[in-house]
Amino acid sequence: MTVKACVVGATGYAGAELVRLLVQHPQVELTAITSHSYVGQPLEQVYPNFAKRIPLICEEEAIEPLVEQADVLFFALPHGHVAQKIDADLLTRTRVVDLGADFRLQSADVYEHWYGLAHPKPELLAQAIYGLPEWCREQIKKARLIANPGCYPTCSALAIAPLLQKGWIDPNSIIIDAKSGVTGAGRALALGHHFSECNESIKAYGVASHRHTPEIEQTLGNIANMPVTLNFTPHLVPMNRGILATIYANLTDSVTEQEVRQAYEAAYHAEPFVRLLPPGMLPETRWIKGSNYCDIAFRLDERTRRIIVVAAIDNLVKGAAGQAIQNMNLMLDLEETAGLEAIPLFPV
Amino acid sequence: MTVKACVVGATGYAGAELVRLLVQHPQVELTAITSHSYVGQPLEQVYPNFAKRIPLICEEEAIEPLVEQADVLFFALPHGHVAQKIDADLLTRTRVVDLGADFRLQSADVYEHWYGLAHPKPELLAQAIYGLPEWCREQIKKARLIANPGCYPTCSALAIAPLLQKGWIDPNSIIIDAKSGVTGAGRALALGHHFSECNESIKAYGVASHRHTPEIEQTLGNIANMPVTLNFTPHLVPMNRGILATIYANLTDSVTEQEVRQAYEAAYHAEPFVRLLPPGMLPETRWIKGSNYCDIAFRLDERTRRIIVVAAIDNLVKGAAGQAIQNMNLMLDLEETAGLEAIPLFPV
Amino acid sequence: MTVKACVVGATGYAGAELVRLLVQHPQVELTAITSHSYVGQPLEQVYPNFAKRIPLICEEEAIEPLVEQADVLFFALPHGHVAQKIDADLLTRTRVVDLGADFRLQSADVYEHWYGLAHPKPELLAQAIYGLPEWCREQIKKARLIANPGCYPTCSALAIAPLLQKGWIDPNSIIIDAKSGVTGAGRALALGHHFSECNESIKAYGVASHRHTPEIEQTLGNIANMPVTLNFTPHLVPMNRGILATIYANLTDSVTEQEVRQAYEAAYHAEPFVRLLPPGMLPETRWIKGSNYCDIAFRLDERTRRIIVVAAIDNLVKGAAGQAIQNMNLMLDLEETAGLEAIPLFPV
Amino acid sequence: MTVKACVVGATGYAGAELVRLLVQHPQVELTAITSHSYVGQPLEQVYPNFAKRIPLICEEEAIEPLVEQADVLFFALPHGHVAQKIDADLLTRTRVVDLGADFRLQSADVYEHWYGLAHPKPELLAQAIYGLPEWCREQIKKARLIANPGCYPTCSALAIAPLLQKGWIDPNSIIIDAKSGVTGAGRALALGHHFSECNESIKAYGVASHRHTPEIEQTLGNIANMPVTLNFTPHLVPMNRGILATIYANLTDSVTEQEVRQAYEAAYHAEPFVRLLPPGMLPETRWIKGSNYCDIAFRLDERTRRIIVVAAIDNLVKGAAGQAIQNMNLMLDLEETAGLEAIPLFPV
């Protein structure tokens, strides 16, 4: 079985990574790609790594012509754009995976509050499924519209969901200190991402105000079955790829290290893309590059009765394009790991 | 007035930085340096950046011959070594600044617990002064033995001391998530610091077990005048220099942003090496490199009633050699900023 | 058809890359791996990127037990070791691909001169085939012992072989200025490859004395059918992967840019792993990472009547493990590109 | 004695480095700075490393108001701009150091050929002095208009000038393969200097067409007293600061290594900012960062009868701002090394 896919917004980093993975997917035919800035150009001029391998031309960002060529439409656009481009009718004719933020928040009010614009299609929100397969797999299989999770939310939620499910941590004590490589900021030019400005430096940004905060709270709240209010602080690290999240929470219970380990194993032992590290090891972004894996480890601190969980993903794969394909595989009843089997590349 | 100084352990990164700064100090004569690994070699062979400028030869690590040549002896050795090499008599004949950990903890028991060895000279602990000038200046002026603070403790303590002094945060709610460049790990070879292993990657290490934890707790506890128990997690970042600490604490009070700012200004406006950033800015390690500055900013999160404080230092300057010289200046009644006036270098 | 392979020396960077590629090769079963330093350990402890994917244990470096399990034995050991471990009898029972230098030079005298030791098995030299498929394909197909080319020689020879074949450049005017990422230096600890020593710095090394010099001269001499004496200068660049070679030569002829382009196209248009870039573009190592490609471009300088050729490869793939697999594919009559189809990863 | 200086174009990297050095110069008062993009803003907002230290405001780029405040006017603008802004009359009232390219080439025709525009003030060219102190010191002392050399030409010319002066190399055999950190490209945004595009990659650019080519040829030609035609290839290296030039030339004589060493020593032993490395060492950019030094070493290759010279500078100091100050010191009869004594910073 071969499925047809299109990528809208193929020339940003997430879009290009999606193209790279789709082209190598054994059951996918990538029928068209679009770009805002490079219409009419061969993709291999924009990304010369694709030379000799991906002979696609960047088309205009017109959606309707793509619908017939696509069992699934991927969107890798800035927030606000996708909700404008799709509607209920389109969703009857094709499936959509939105790598952006438009359908991640269930509440149009929360969206407006954090993103600063009225949601263009609130009526579609109820239909959107949050595409975190490890926690929403069955819904994803039946979805027509997937909100592909943000990079930070993916890493953060996978890291501590088992603890919230068990009710072992105080949902209002959670602090997420996350660190990302610079590809997370995209390919658009900005002084802060000019090589000599961010190389050899680290900074926090969006402190107490980053838009991934409500998304993480919503995901964890759904799993905890109670409201979660937390602190999330992203940092920019001088490297290309990778996210590391270090998460702190107060234990509410006299749970032991062994019990915690069992809970993680129960949650993830059957998961193809989550690796619970053995005792003594901690995740590092170098071990997951180019792959769809999320590596997780934890420490119990008896002195403070806190648990510290560390998790790592490749922000462009499990944090974007890889997870989008994992969602597609589930929706279209393909093997969940198809096209995502690459072993992490190291050193790279 | 010229003072004479010696550096014991001049060929590690902190020792070499000390040499570089002392040689350029207008009132210091650097009379001798020692090395464990490079005895008899010109320092400029070990550090060719010093060619044509520092014609010193690395001497053996024998202390007694140095005492007469030194108004102050700097030690930049691994923990355990300095306490073995000095005694009360030596301290009557010269002053000591120990850049290592031997005299930082007031309790020999706590030292033994965290460092895993019995303290070699517990009788000197009462005499040792913790060399954080912004909070211990008067004691430093009268000291004969300075325990130069660790890099992480310097950055962390400066960042939140004003809040603890005011009693505005819960002393048991503090979480310090710190990120350091690789020079913090020293010049000794280790697989984890091999270029291709740590480049393009970030990791946490020493989670819930790093030795700077009790040092931070002690310093903040002294300022708060009550015990402080906290979480401290260091991370290794692929860059040479710099530490960024992101610190979280629960506000215990209805304090406002303006009040917090005033408290920081009261604490630091007269400090030559602390820069409270204006509203809207956050510290980044790129702005303090090669300098003795500590940059600080904070955010109040009304949603969680937490404060997030971010601070940055150069780990080899304010976090080691620069602060050691600041302490020397105070002890010897020199201008506190002498030899430390370098404006941060950027981009570098 | 499935072939059985073993890797001797699987825990260096080239060996581990070989394992990663072989495990993903559709027609290979990797039956055993050995290690000098990690005998008895799971490979995924040494390389946690392999967790959940490669359940192999590092065996002792004993060759005889491997022969029966291997249609092909890969060796990724320091020079001098492989020639000691193999002999003519072994080559009747299995095939060997040596990623090291022992069989690259046809003359035992030249080997002794540049490597400083007498060749352990000069009698095997006549049997060894230099594994540069683009120029030695037919011999490789019939080989039992492949000398896999060095990383610099691969990049350099591919870059200018067409010019020497045509006789268009003076064979004694060639200057190769090459730049490599730090993985080229391997995983063994050395001060020069300690992160803080080589990060943010570039240096030349082995000037006029690097051991890849005679290998390049031999390869190009064979193609030119006359002796070639050249200058080769490698440089260490602060990045993980990639080699860029910039090569200068005096034109001996009034050849035009168009003729040169035609010569390159004739040489390489059918090659699966060489990409001649279109006019206006130049190779950059970012475009070939994780792949077996060699990207090439040239400029004619009318002012000096020199040609400048620039080429880029991934030193661990086309410069080591990927080319080794390409050679195996040829020897065993598999599809030449099998297991080497990965599209270059970017940004990484 | 205190001299007054102004910087026109203070917010580019070279301009800001000039400000940093001038502010710390013991005999300079920096009376005004201008900026194209940040008029009216405090410099410390544009460069927060200057906070608490440099309270200057960026003024408009109007020259006339500056003349009275300046014994010397520094220009750090793109080429074409300075020649428009100055004239003979202005040069009677102040001195000018142009860090740009407008007055480096003695011939307006050559300028037009390489820079693609007619020289705005050809009548000033005869008056301009090329500011390479090691080779033009006496002229610089009497100059009113200094053409501060380019970064690549400084490094390249210092490296091989002694050989050309002696007539020991073929002036038409010279090949300069140079590698620069990304600050050399300035602070203006460009996709090629976006972090994730140039990090972890190396490329050549401007092959056979870079504008520093005629500048190097002119400088070396003047020293050789005959025309020099050479190849110059710059490369972009993923690091902030530093240039390394590797230079190849055919020896025309039976000169020995000892004779060459003596020639370099004769040329440079009295130079405060040139360090000829001892035998066995080679320059690396890590040893000269933040300093005005140029490190040089050479190798004779008996096999090819070529000499290979390697040199390193900090592109923003000896390659721009530091050399500009060295020129100012000479023009104004200050100590040549004043304000330039900083020992190189390492690791940084």
Side-chain angles (χ1 to χ4, degrees), chain B residues 314-330:
Chain B
D314 184 321
N315 57 302
L316 292 179
V317 186
K318 184 63 176 171
Q323 186 146 272
I325 288 171
Q326 190 179 355
N327 282 316
M328 174 196 74
N329 289 342
L330 288 168

Side-chain angles (χ1 to χ4, degrees), chain A residues 76-127:
Chain A
L77 301 177
H79 71 266
H81 289 245
V82 180
Q84 281 172 1
K85 290 181 194 294
I86 71 170
D87 58 23
D89 172 65
L90 180 143
L91 292 174
T92 65
R93 294 179 290 137
T94 189
R95 290 168 192 81
V96 166
V97 179
D98 178 12
L99 280 77
D102 282 0
F103 297 101
R104 293 179 190 158
L105 297 174
Q106 292 157 336
S107 153
D109 288 349
V110 175
Y111 180 89
E112 182 165 354
H113 176 73
W114 287 85
Y115 286 86
L117 79 166
H119 197 288
K121 293 272 165 51
E123 66 274 18
L124 293 183
L125 287 175
Q127 203 177 335

Side-chain angles (χ1 to χ4, degrees), chain C residues 28 38 42 47 62 91 102 113-114 121 124 171 199 204 250 252 255 260 276 296 348:
Chain C
V28 169
Y38 299 97
Y47 287 96
L91 292 173
D102 282 359
H113 176 73
W114 287 85
K121 292 274 166 52
L124 294 183
N199 183 40
N250 296 341
T252 51
V255 69
V260 173
L276 182 66
I296 300 176
V348 78

Side-chain angles (χ1 to χ4, degrees), chain C residues 172 177 179 197 200-202 217 231 233 235 239-240 246 248 285-286 289 301 303-304 306, chain D residues 172 177 179 197 200-202 217 231 233 235 239-240 246 248 285-286 289 301 303-304 306 346:
Chain C
N172 293 319
D177 191 285
K179 299 89 180 170
E197 302 287 322
E200 291 293 295
S201 190
I202 180 168
E217 290 177 345
N231 274 102
T233 310
H235 296 74
M239 60 187 196
N240 285 336
T246 311
Y248 306 83
T285 60
R286 64 174 157 155
K289 268 189 270 183
D301 187 353
R303 296 172 65 254
T304 60
R306 283 199 194 99
Chain D
N172 294 321
D177 191 285
K179 299 89 179 171
E197 301 287 321
E200 291 293 297
S201 189
I202 180 167
E217 290 177 344
N231 273 102
T233 311
H235 296 76
M239 60 187 195
N240 285 335
T246 310
Y248 306 82
T285 60
R286 61 174 159 156
K289 268 189 270 181
D301 187 352
R303 297 171 67 253
T304 60
R306 283 198 194 99
F346 171 81

Side-chain angles (χ1 to χ4, degrees), chain B residues 255-302:
Chain B
V255 69
T256 65
E257 181 166 337
Q258 195 185 349
E259 288 167 313
V260 172
R261 180 160 286 277
Q262 284 165 352
Y264 274 97
E265 277 169 0
Y268 291 137
H269 83 277
E271 285 300 335
F273 295 120
V274 179
R275 301 191 294 196
L276 181 66
L277 302 191
M281 289 193 58
L282 286 168
E284 309 183 25
T285 61
R286 62 176 159 154
W287 303 128
I288 45 74
K289 268 190 269 183
S291 84
N292 205 47
Y293 287 112
C294 178
D295 283 1
I296 301 176
F298 67 89
R299 295 284 182 276
L300 253 66
D301 187 353
E302 292 298 341

Side-chain angles (χ1 to χ4, degrees), chain B residues 182-248:
Chain B
V182 185
T183 54
R187 210 185 200 197
L189 301 187
L191 185 57
H193 309 134
H194 193 60
F195 182 84
S196 308
E197 301 287 323
C198 58
N199 183 40
E200 291 294 296
S201 189
I202 180 168
K203 67 169 177 182
Y205 65 98
V207 177
S209 64
H210 194 279
R211 288 160 171 170
H212 283 175
T213 309
E215 182 183 341
I216 303 171
E217 290 178 344
Q218 171 185 285
T219 303
L220 294 178
N222 288 343
I223 289 165
N225 222 4
M226 68 173 81
V228 170
T229 306
L230 52 74
N231 273 102
F232 165 64
T233 311
H235 296 74
L236 193 71
V237 178
M239 60 187 195
N240 284 335
R241 286 193 185 216
I243 284 180
L244 191 84
T246 311
I247 308 181
Y248 306 83

Side-chain angles (χ1 to χ4, degrees), chain A:
Chain A
M1 173 191 172
T2 295
V3 303
K4 286 181 287 180
C6 298
V7 174
V8 180
T11 53
Y13 288 146
E17 186 72 350
L18 199 46
V19 169
R20 185 182 68 83
L21 291 169
L22 288 169
V23 163
Q24 297 183 105
H25 191 297
Q27 290 157 290
V28 169
E29 181 194 357
L30 181 56
T31 54
I33 61 172
T34 80
S35 168
H36 180 75
S37 308
Y38 299 98
V39 178
Q41 290 190 34
L43 184 63
E44 70 174 51
Q45 276 181 17
V46 188
Y47 285 97
N49 52 318
F50 293 158
K52 236 180 180 170
R53 298 297 294 278
I54 306 184
L56 293 165
I57 307 292
C58 298
E59 303 181 12
E60 276 189 278
E61 249 172 47
I63 306 307
E64 198 49 44
L66 302 177
V67 174
E68 281 174 51
Q69 313 174 50
D71 296 302
V72 57
L73 271 179
F74 292 94
F75 287 86
L77 301 177
H79 71 266
H81 289 245
V82 180
Q84 281 172 1
K85 290 181 194 294
I86 71 170
D87 58 23
D89 172 65
L90 180 143
L91 292 174
T92 65
R93 294 179 290 137
T94 189
R95 290 168 192 81
V96 166
V97 179
D98 178 12
L99 280 77
D102 282 0
F103 297 101
R104 293 179 190 158
L105 297 174
Q106 292 157 336
S107 153
D109 288 349
V110 175
Y111 180 89
E112 182 165 354
H113 176 73
W114 287 85
Y115 286 86
L117 79 166
H119 197 288
K121 293 272 165 51
E123 66 274 18
L124 293 183
L125 287 175
Q127 203 177 335
I129 299 300
Y130 192 71
L132 189 66
E134 290 77 8
W135 293 93
C136 320
R137 185 170 282 114
E138 294 313 311
Q139 294 167 277
I140 293 166
K141 289 181 180 175
K142 293 172 285 187
R144 303 291 296 183
L145 169 57
I146 294 285
N148 208 56
C151 50
Y152 288 122
T154 294
C155 192
S156 303
L158 289 176
I160 56 166
L163 300 173
L164 282 159
Q165 192 185 35
K166 287 283 186 184
W168 287 342
I169 57 174
D170 173 356
N172 294 320
S173 73
I174 300 167
I175 287 168
I176 301 173
D177 191 284
K179 299 90 179 167
S180 174
V182 184
T183 53
R187 209 183 199 197
L189 300 188
L191 185 57
H193 308 136
H194 194 59
F195 182 85
S196 307
E197 302 287 321
C198 59
N199 183 40
E200 291 292 297
S201 190
I202 179 167
K203 67 170 178 181
Y205 65 98
V207 177
S209 62
H210 193 279
R211 287 159 172 169
H212 283 175
T213 308
E215 182 183 341
I216 302 170
E217 288 178 345
Q218 170 183 286
T219 304
L220 293 177
N222 288 344
I223 288 164
N225 221 3
M226 66 174 83
V228 170
T229 306
L230 52 75
N231 273 102
F232 164 65
T233 311
H235 297 75
L236 192 72
V237 178
M239 60 187 195
N240 284 338
R241 283 192 187 219
I243 284 180
L244 190 85
T246 310
I247 308 182
Y248 306 83
N250 295 342
L251 292 165
T252 51
D253 219 314
S254 58
V255 70
T256 66
E257 181 165 334
Q258 196 185 347
E259 289 168 313
V260 173
R261 179 160 289 277
Q262 285 166 351
Y264 274 96
E265 278 169 0
Y268 292 137
H269 82 278
E271 285 299 335
F273 295 120
V274 179
R275 302 192 292 196
L276 182 66
L277 302 192
M281 289 194 59
L282 287 168
E284 310 184 24
T285 59
R286 62 175 157 155
W287 303 129
I288 45 73
K289 269 189 270 182
S291 84
N292 205 46
Y293 288 112
C294 177
D295 282 1
I296 300 177
F298 66 89
R299 295 284 183 276
L300 251 66
D301 187 353
E302 293 298 340
R303 298 171 65 253
T304 60
R305 286 305 294 162
R306 282 198 194 99
I307 189 165
I308 303 104
V309 186
V310 183
I313 62 168
D314 183 321
N315 57 301
L316 292 179
V317 186
K318 185 62 176 169
Q323 186 148 267
I325 288 171
Q326 191 178 355
N327 283 315
M328 173 196 76
N329 288 342
L330 288 167
M331 277 201 291
L332 296 174
D333 204 25
L334 305 174
E335 187 69 32
E336 186 170 343
T337 58
L340 299 170
E341 301 93 342
I343 295 175
L345 202 59
F346 171 82
V348 79

